[in-house]
Each structure stands twice: as C-alpha cells, then as structure tokens.
Amino acid sequence: MIVLFLGLVGAIKLSEKEQTSNAQVSNCGNIFKYYALSASVQAGVLAGQYRMLISGNVKEQVDLKYIQAQSYCSGTQESASQRLLPKDFSVNSNGGQFSVSFGFQNKCESWYVQKLVITFQDKDLNQIGCASRNLIYDQKKISKEILLKIKYRLRNNIIQSHILNFQIQINIIKKNMKVVILSILLISALAVIPTAVTNCGTSKKIVFTEATFSVQPAKGVDETITLYGTASEYIELENVELIALWNGAKVFNQDTPNDKQYDKNDKVTYSQTANFPAFTPSGKIRTQFHFVDIKGEEVGCGEVQFSV
C-alpha cells in the first residue's frame, strides 16, 4: 500500500487572519497601464496561502497574462518571489476598470510577511503595472497563536515519544519564536535514519542530495522514504511515479499526483510511505521516484536502495 506521507512537522499555521477592504495601495515602477486603486488581503502570517484582490483603472488595454508576487519578510533582509500563471488567478476588465483575484504561498520561513509587491505582466513578461501593499499585525496576538499551535503539534505528532520531555518555556517563545521553531525541526530530524540517494534518469532539473528512512527497513512495517534536493530552474510538477524493483526485477509502479511549483534554487522535499508485507521474499529493494512536469517530461529522479 502506497500513501502520501504528510510530513512529521509541517510549517506552523496561524488562524489569525487579516481581513481588509478597499485598503491603501501604492503603484510602483513607472508603467501604469494597469493602475491599482485598492487592495484587500486575507493572509496567514507565518505560513499558508494569501488571498489578494486588487482593483483599479485600465489606462491602456493590454491582456494581463502573468503576475509576479514578491513578499518581503519582516525582521530579516529576506524576500521571496512567485510567478503566477493564468490558471492561478482570475481577472475581470470592463469599461476601463479591472479587478484581479489570486492566491499565493507565503515563503517567508524565518518570519512573517511585512510587504507585498505585485507586478502585472503581459504575454512577453513586460511590466504593465505594479502595486505595493504593507501588512501590519498585532505582535502579541501572533505570539499567543504560535504558542497554542506549538503545544498542539507536540501533543498530536507521531513522534510524541521523542519530544514529551521537551518542555517549552513561555518566556522563550515570547523572546525568540524563531529559536523554538528551529528546535522542533531539529528534534524531528533526529527521529529519522539517513541513507544514500542516487540521481537516476538523465534530467537534472531537480538534484537530490539526501534521503532518510522513518524506521529501519523491515517486512510488514510502514516505511516512509523522504528525498531532499534542489530545483535548478522553474518547475511545475504534475505527478511522481514510484517504481519498485526486487533483485533487479520490476515488481510495482504507481503514479501519485504532486501539483507543486518550484522556483530556481528552491528546496524540494518529497515523502512517500510503503509497506512490504511479511511474506515478501528476502532480497534487495530499489525504489525509484520519477518526477514528471506538466508537459509530461521527467525533471528529476531519486533512487534509494535497501534490503529486506
């Protein structure tokens, strides 16, 4: 049985949202074919999806084909960008006015987003407009929400036996939330078993450098294999094909949908869980994970071997 593994410790998501309407927005750059007048945002602060609605005037009729979303992270010099394709947003243009609605991922891993810069582009990726919005959050509410989420994770995570003795001090969380989050990720890393990974196939758009087992491989035990790599260019994944070989013979293959986008130099992490029944003959198992993009082309392949 093959199932998607959702990860031991995911990003901590806050329920605190910012709901605004007709909020102040600035037009950046020097090209204003699409001139923004207002912007509303619904957003998770540390992780998750932003929803944004921008409306304004069309100064010159040009088809909006792409959106470049740039987020600037509070407390650091970090910024993260994401290109949205036509399938990722909806736009209405009528009588010299426009409105565009879209969602995008908060990639500020170390802190929360403070500023959003949205660039409108035509089919040739030329800028036709630019809107900028500052985001403001209540620090006390953020600290309280993070504390509640961390306690919930510690109580319900499947590695509970490894972290029950880890006592979270409220004063540490208030003074340095980042230290607490990094500590939880470190504990999760200690709960896995490193193993070697080989890059199979010819495409190296995704190159894998590390792999782990959740437990020591054995018959009749759920085994989660996790691959870690880096994207060398912009990639839109569609699915991952798992191929299992026993003593060199192909005995199993399965496609698993994996609709994700990666920018150049983004970290790629993928996990999948398998159970080899107790009656499985002893021998060497090779598991190959073939990553396929929306064009049906392979963009990377990671292979892990073990014996049962």
Side-chain angles (χ1 to χ4, degrees), residues 196-211 227-230 287-291 298-305:
V197 60
T198 302
N199 286 279
C200 43
T202 57
S203 176
K204 297 298 185 291
K205 294 181 180 180
I206 300 178
V207 176
F208 294 99
T209 55
E210 299 178 59
L227 303 180
Y228 304 89
T230 305
T287 55
Q288 297 179 347
F289 300 87
H290 297 264
F291 291 75
E298 183 174 299
V299 294
C301 175
E303 179 178 299
V304 175
Q305 300 184 21

Side-chain angles (χ1 to χ4, degrees), residues 157-175:
N157 206 290
I158 62 172
I159 60 169
Q160 182 179 2
S161 60
H162 296 274
I163 58 179
L164 284 177
N165 294 326
F166 184 78
Q167 299 299 320
I168 298 178
Q169 300 297 325
I170 296 178
N171 61 328
I172 295 177
I173 296 173
K174 290 181 178 179
K175 293 179 181 179

Side-chain angles (χ1 to χ4, degrees), residues 12-15 145-153:
I12 299 173
K13 297 184 179 180
L14 304 184
S15 61
E145 188 67 21
I146 291 175
L147 176 60
L148 293 175
K149 290 296 180 180
I150 292 177
K151 287 183 175 179
Y152 176 80
R153 289 280 181 169

